């Protein structure tokens, strides 16, 4: 943390651009050069109080607008984002290290997400329940008021914007807190909503975990939606318990990809690389299939194909069109991922490729995509979320053992099954403990598919109608008719 600098950005509270009230900032570092590219305010509790007051003031009028009017505004935001798409993508590539293919995909996806939720607004409806001729009940969906929306670093613009769409469409005002290492595109979002949404409807508050904790602990923020790691999610739940808040959590994953003996090893290897999201985010993805469980009979062919593809990926400047993988997002995370590579080595896994900064790169948080084979279930790289370009390959020959191994982690976010046998595919899909299972895919899914975690991977569903409805409370109104 430093004091004010020339490149300091401001946060967006109640339609105004403000610094932190104590003047502190957090430097934004370009992970490809390790050089500062700006600074964002480090909001204190007093700043969060100010944002909550602005959001509360704006809430009644925003809730009272017709949903069609809110939808028009969200669609206009989507148009503005589309117009600024290339600039936004470049900003995330610079601030977060995402290769252009990844950051452009994020912006495109965000536009679609805004349009999707704009179209769903009329679904925030209720029911009429049968009773007797003189008594029946209706249900009505009402917004919570102020929603705290806390997002992680890995898809900065996509999460800041896409995850604000549903709470806004449901008629809530929002306090958005981006991750401290990748806040620049969320502040650019604020510029795009300025003069579009009424002041106080969307507030962007920057700062570290403590800023997020102040939002979660604030008594006037009744609904918290958190995307981040399991330990942070636990802390959020603990704080929220004090105020009995409605909390949804989208947390980490250690997702299995199962390759049966009848799957083509080369196609499965290509899907494993795509499903790791190496080219989108260097494996910094909650959905990455970072544990690959290959049938022993295909293991050698699979590992040969996997190593070939991975070694052909180009690591370098995220703003270079030819780059497949940029740097990891920030230094502390880079060190953490390198720590897992070291743990894999020292615990006896076989390093097939990667494991270090490529020779042609002398600075930046770069890591060559890394494959470990002969991984054993007790190893740290088998159990803990690495959130980087590190794949752990196991082999198996008994289906029961494979299912046990696949489910033997605290997480349960996604899973991926490769086989040509429809019976095996569905049998396995039923038994894997994961919120989303792909069959012969690489993790991509149609828009509107509910997404959420089993076990410690989270509470609640997003990306679907469930998400929109989760930002409403249902009120039952009982009607009694009397003769006079
Ligand atoms: P993180 O938990 O460190 O931080 C996420 C956000 O929460 C940041 O804005 C941070 O400042 C804030 N924060 C941290 N502690 C907090 C607290 N106690 N109270 C309130 N706010 C707090 O996560 P990260 O390292 O930024 O992101 C990586 C994690 O996010 C991985 O575990 C990844 O799997 C997960 N993730 C999950 C999904 C999903 O949809 N399930 C999507 C993306 C990322």
């Amino acid at each position: 943390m430093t004091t004010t600098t020339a490149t300091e950005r401001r946060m967006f509270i109640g339609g105004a651009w403000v610094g932190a009230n104590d003047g502190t900032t957090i430097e934004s570092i370009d992970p490809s050069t390790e050089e500062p590219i700006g600074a964002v305010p480090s909001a204190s509790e007093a700043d969060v109080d100010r944002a909550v007051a602005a959001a509360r003031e704006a809430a009644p009028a925003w809730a009272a607008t017709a949903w069609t009017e809110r939808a028009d505004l969200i669609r206009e935001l989507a148009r503005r984002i589309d117009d600024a798409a290339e600039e936004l993508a470049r900003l995330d590539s610079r601030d977060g290290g995402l290769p252009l293919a990844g950051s452009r995909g994020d912006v495109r996806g965000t536009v679609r997400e805004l349009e999707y939720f704009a179209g769903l607004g009329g679904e925030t409806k209720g029911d009429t329940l049968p009773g007797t001729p003189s008594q029946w009940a209706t249900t009505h969906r009402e917004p919570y008021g102020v929603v705290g929306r806390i997002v992680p670093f890995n898809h900065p613009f996509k999460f800041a914007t896409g995850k604000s769409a549903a709470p806004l469409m449901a008629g809530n005002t929002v306090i958005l807190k981006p991750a401290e290492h990748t806040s620049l595109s969320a502040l650019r979002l604020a510029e795009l909503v300025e003069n579009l949404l009424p002041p106080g409807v969307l507030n962007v508050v920057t700062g570290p975990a403590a800023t997020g904790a102040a939002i979660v602990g604030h008594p006037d923020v009744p609904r918290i939606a958190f995307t981040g790691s399991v330990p942070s999610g636990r802390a959020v739940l603990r704080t929220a318990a004090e105020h009995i808040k409605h909390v949804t959590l989208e947390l980490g994953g250690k997702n299995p990809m199962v390759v049966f003996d009848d799957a083509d090893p080369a196609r499965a290897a290509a899907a494993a690389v795509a499903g790791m999201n190496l080219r989108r985010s260097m494996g910094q993805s909650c959905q990455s299939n970072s544990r690959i469980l290959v049938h022993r009979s295909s293991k050698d062919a699979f590992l040969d194909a996997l190593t070939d593809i991975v070694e052909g990926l180009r690591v370098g400047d995220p703003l270079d069109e030819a780059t497949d993988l940029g740097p990891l997002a920030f230094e502390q995370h880079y060190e953490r991922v390198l720590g897992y590579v070291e743990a894999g080595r020292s615990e006896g896994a076989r390093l097939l490729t990667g494991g270090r900064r490529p020779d042609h790169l002398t600075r930046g948080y770069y890591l060559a995509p890394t494959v470990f084979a002969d991984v054993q279930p007790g190893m740290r790289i088998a159990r803990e979320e690495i959130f980087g370009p590190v794949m752990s390959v196991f082999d198996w020959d008994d289906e029961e053992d494979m299912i046990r191994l696949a489910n033997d982690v605290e997480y349960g976010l996604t899973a991926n099954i490769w086989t040509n046998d429809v019976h095996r595919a569905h049998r396995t899909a039923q038994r894997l403990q994961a919120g989303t299972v792909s069959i012969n895919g690489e993790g991509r899914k149609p828009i509107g598919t509910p997404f959420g975690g089993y076990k410690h991977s989270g509470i609640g569903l997003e990306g679907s109608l469930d998400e929109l409805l989760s930002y409403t409370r249902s009120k039952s109104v009982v009607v009694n008719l009397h003769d006079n």
Side-chain angles (χ1 to χ4, degrees):
M1 244 178 252
T2 62
T3 48
T4 308
T5 67
T7 49
E8 180 188 329
R9 275 33 170 213
R10 300 192 153 246
M11 349 180 237
F12 190 63
I13 296 179
W17 294 95
V18 297
N21 86 326
D22 60 8
T24 54
T25 60
I26 298 174
E27 269 190 337
S28 299
I29 305 287
D30 177 339
S32 65
T33 61
E34 305 181 30
E35 298 289 337
I37 51 171
V40 300
S42 179
S44 64
E45 272 186 33
D47 298 306
V48 168
D49 283 347
R50 186 155 51 150
V52 174
R56 283 192 78 192
E57 198 183 327
W62 182 246
T65 54
W67 75 264
T68 46
E69 200 179 313
R70 294 198 294 272
D72 285 344
L73 293 168
I74 297 294
R75 285 199 192 92
E76 171 57 22
L77 176 59
R79 270 189 292 275
R80 290 182 182 193
I81 290 169
D82 206 24
D83 287 346
E86 184 61 17
E87 173 220 326
L88 288 164
R90 285 176 177 271
L91 186 56
D92 266 0
S93 289
R94 186 117 198 269
D95 194 25
L98 298 180
L100 280 173
S103 58
R104 286 176 181 148
D106 276 3
V107 177
R108 268 197 311 277
T110 304
V111 169
R112 278 199 291 270
E113 212 170 344
L114 292 177
E115 288 165 350
Y116 170 76
F117 280 114
L120 275 187
E123 296 302 318
T124 51
K125 61 194 181 192
D127 291 319
T128 306
L129 289 100
T132 66
S134 61
Q135 188 186 50
W136 72 90
T138 54
T139 63
H140 303 253
R141 291 193 172 272
E142 297 180 348
Y144 279 85
V146 180
V147 170
R149 200 64 181 98
I150 300 168
V151 296
F153 71 83
N154 55 324
H155 294 289
F157 185 75
K158 181 175 191 295
F159 286 154
T161 310
K163 289 182 179 292
S164 297
L168 289 173
M169 266 314 295
N172 301 279
T173 56
V174 170
I175 299 175
L176 168 69
K177 196 201 88 63
E180 50 271 48
H181 305 97
T182 55
S183 298
L184 297 184
S185 59
L187 294 175
R188 185 71 184 99
L189 164 69
E191 289 174 4
L192 296 174
V193 304
E194 195 181 8
N195 306 323
L196 176 66
L197 302 182
V201 167
L202 178 66
N203 306 277
V204 182
V205 173
T206 52
T211 309
I215 297 170
V216 176
H218 200 293
D220 293 329
V221 183
R223 170 77 172 90
I224 298 292
F226 177 85
T227 306
S229 66
V230 171
S232 308
R234 273 197 196 98
V236 166
L237 265 188
R238 272 189 222 108
T239 306
E242 206 50 51
H243 302 280
I244 318 289
K245 296 190 179 195
H246 179 162
V247 175
T248 45
L249 301 172
E250 292 285 340
L251 307 178
K254 186 75 182 173
N255 309 303
M257 171 172 176
V258 174
V259 183
F260 279 92
D261 51 0
D262 64 336
D264 174 353
R267 284 189 71 185
V273 172
M276 264 304 285
N277 287 320
L278 292 176
R279 293 189 186 91
R280 282 197 66 195
S281 60
M282 289 69 70
Q284 298 168 130
S285 164
C286 59
Q287 300 188 55
S288 291
N289 47 221
S290 55
R291 288 187 300 146
I292 306 169
L293 283 56
V294 189
H295 192 271
R296 198 155 295 157
S297 64
S298 329
K299 173 184 155 188
D300 291 341
F302 177 87
L303 286 175
D304 285 349
L306 184 67
T307 313
D308 262 9
I309 301 170
V310 162
E311 289 182 345
L313 297 172
R314 285 154 302 193
V315 182
D317 180 357
L319 289 165
D320 181 339
E321 299 282 351
T323 290
D324 292 309
L325 281 84
L328 301 191
F330 57 99
E331 184 178 11
Q332 196 189 353
H333 182 57
Y334 181 55
E335 296 299 336
R336 198 178 150 270
V337 173
L338 289 176
Y340 278 111
V341 172
E342 193 38 49
R345 276 203 187 99
S346 64
E347 290 182 348
R350 185 158 56 98
L351 179 66
L352 293 185
T353 185
R356 52 200 287 263
R357 187 203 304 256
D359 291 336
H360 67 284
L361 296 162
T362 52
R363 59 178 188 165
Y365 310 130
Y366 291 103
L367 175 61
T370 301
V371 179
F372 279 108
D374 303 337
V375 177
Q376 300 304 316
M379 294 177 179
R380 286 183 62 207
I381 60 166
R383 313 195 67 77
E384 298 175 22
E385 184 185 40
I386 300 175
F387 215 58
V390 182
M391 286 180 261
S392 300
V393 183
F394 306 70
D395 48 78
W396 57 276
D397 54 17
D398 175 80
E399 199 170 316
E400 288 303 312
D401 289 345
M402 177 274 288
I403 296 280
R404 241 190 321 275
L405 179 61
N407 288 333
D408 184 29
V409 286
E410 67 169 317
Y411 302 98
L413 197 58
T414 68
N416 191 356
I417 302 165
W418 272 72
T419 177
N420 294 317
D421 179 332
V422 69
H423 305 287
R424 264 177 173 173
H426 284 284
R427 212 168 48 223
T428 308
Q430 286 174 31
R431 299 183 70 194
L432 291 180
Q433 295 163 356
T436 303
V437 180
S438 296
I439 296 173
N440 296 330
E442 45 196 52
R444 277 182 303 137
K445 48 195 179 307
I447 192 160
T449 307
F451 185 76
Y454 277 26
K455 302 196 282 187
H456 292 182
S457 287
I459 301 174
L461 292 168
E462 293 194 350
S464 58
L465 178 60
D466 314 74
E467 180 180 354
L468 181 70
L469 298 183
S470 81
Y471 291 109
T472 65
R473 295 179 277 209
S474 178
K475 178 179 280 176
S476 298
V477 176
V478 181
V479 180
N480 293 281
L481 292 187
H482 299 284
D483 287 340
N484 48 43

